[in-house]
Amino acid sequence: MCTSIVEIAQAEGMAKRGEDWFPLAQAVVAYDHARHAPLGDVITLDFLNTGLGPAARAGVELTLETAKGLRAALDRAIAAAEHEEAEMRGKAAAPRLVQAAE
């Protein structure tokens, strides 16, 4: 049974297929029958740039448990990156203290 569960998001970054890197335009997340993995239904992640033709695609098929673990890892990494960015902005924006000459 096809689930018709598909989410599409704009993407900015790069993906690699074989030896070649290509710029991303979209990320597609779907839940459906595995096409390549020897599994039942899977979460499929497709990173693509339709403007570059069918070769500009990097795909992954994951079990639901693996997808949940990846989501948790992404959440942790994003939170840490946001904290790091906030610290860097805070340091850059902090006024410099100048001691008065005595």
Side-chain angles (χ1 to χ4, degrees):
M1 170 175 91
C2 292
T3 64
S4 300
I5 298 171
V6 177
E7 295 290 334
I8 300 172
Q10 297 302 311
E12 186 176 349
M14 299 291 287
K16 187 174 184 181
R17 175 156 184 161
E19 296 296 316
D20 298 320
W21 286 87
F22 60 92
L24 294 177
Q26 291 181 318
V28 179
V29 181
Y31 180 69
D32 208 343
H33 301 299
R35 303 284 188 252
H36 303 283
L39 304 167
D41 290 337
V42 293
I43 293 289
T44 302
L45 304 175
D46 282 312
F47 300 96
L48 51 119
N49 187 328
T50 56
L52 299 177
R57 174 186 178 269
V60 178
E61 294 179 341
L62 306 170
T63 64
L64 281 176
E65 288 305 313
T66 299
K68 289 175 187 178
L70 177 60
R71 179 183 63 193
L74 281 167
D75 287 343
R76 290 189 303 272
I78 290 167
E82 287 175 337
H83 178 77
E84 182 74 17
E85 289 290 321
E87 276 193 350
M88 290 177 70
R89 282 191 303 273
K91 287 180 183 175
R96 293 182 62 194
L97 297 177
V98 179
Q99 289 187 337
E102 294 183 27

